[in-house]
């Protein structure tokens, strides 16, 4: 297959928010995904993350982009645009 025949990469811009989970048996609180929004531009995702992070029920928010290879369906590692408040460690992605 030549480069001209390959499907172009698809970029996804995501805003993902988190809420704190109550302490479990071990007494530690954790984070879980609350909402996830997809946008067509990086600035839209970043603006939404900034607005969501101001909400009382939101522990934190990420705005990031991932690149998908439509031919294989594989998605690359996230590239963060902004990370606000309490968010998971990068190793947790």
């Amino acid at each position: 297959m030549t480069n001209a025949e390959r499907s172009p990469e698809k970029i996804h811009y995501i805003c993902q928010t988190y809420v704190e989970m109550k302490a479990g048996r071990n007494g530690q609180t954790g984070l879980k995904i609350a909402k996830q929004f997809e946008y067509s531009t990086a600035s839209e995702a970043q603006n939404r993350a900034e607005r969501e992070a101001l909400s009382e029920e939101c522990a934190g928010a990420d705005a990031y982009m991932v690149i998908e290879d439509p031919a294989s369906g594989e998605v690359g590692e996230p590239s963060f645009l902004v990370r606000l408040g309490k968010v998971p460690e990068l190793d947790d992605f």
Side-chain angles (χ1 to χ4, degrees):
M1 191 186 292
T2 67
N3 284 342
E5 294 172 334
R6 287 188 194 181
S7 300
E9 295 175 331
K10 182 170 181 173
I11 300 174
H12 300 273
Y13 298 100
I14 310 292
C15 167
Q16 186 165 288
T17 66
Y18 307 95
V19 292
E20 285 189 286
M21 296 185 302
K22 296 188 183 204
R25 293 179 196 215
N26 62 6
Q28 292 184 331
T29 60
L31 295 173
K32 73 174 187 174
I33 296 170
K35 301 176 191 172
Q36 197 173 53
F37 308 95
E38 185 168 353
Y39 292 95
S40 55
T41 68
S43 63
E44 289 174 315
Q46 185 170 338
N47 289 341
R48 182 63 181 258
E50 290 169 353
R51 286 194 315 271
E52 290 288 332
L54 297 174
S55 169
E56 265 187 49
E57 61 271 2
C58 181
D62 281 328
Y64 60 92
M65 64 173 267
V66 291
I67 298 175
E68 175 189 3
D69 178 352
S72 69
E74 291 184 21
V75 177
E77 294 291 319
S79 176
F80 290 94
L81 306 168
V82 66
R83 305 195 86 202
L84 305 163
K86 294 180 182 178
V87 294
E89 295 294 322
L90 293 177
D91 294 342
D92 295 340
F93 262 82

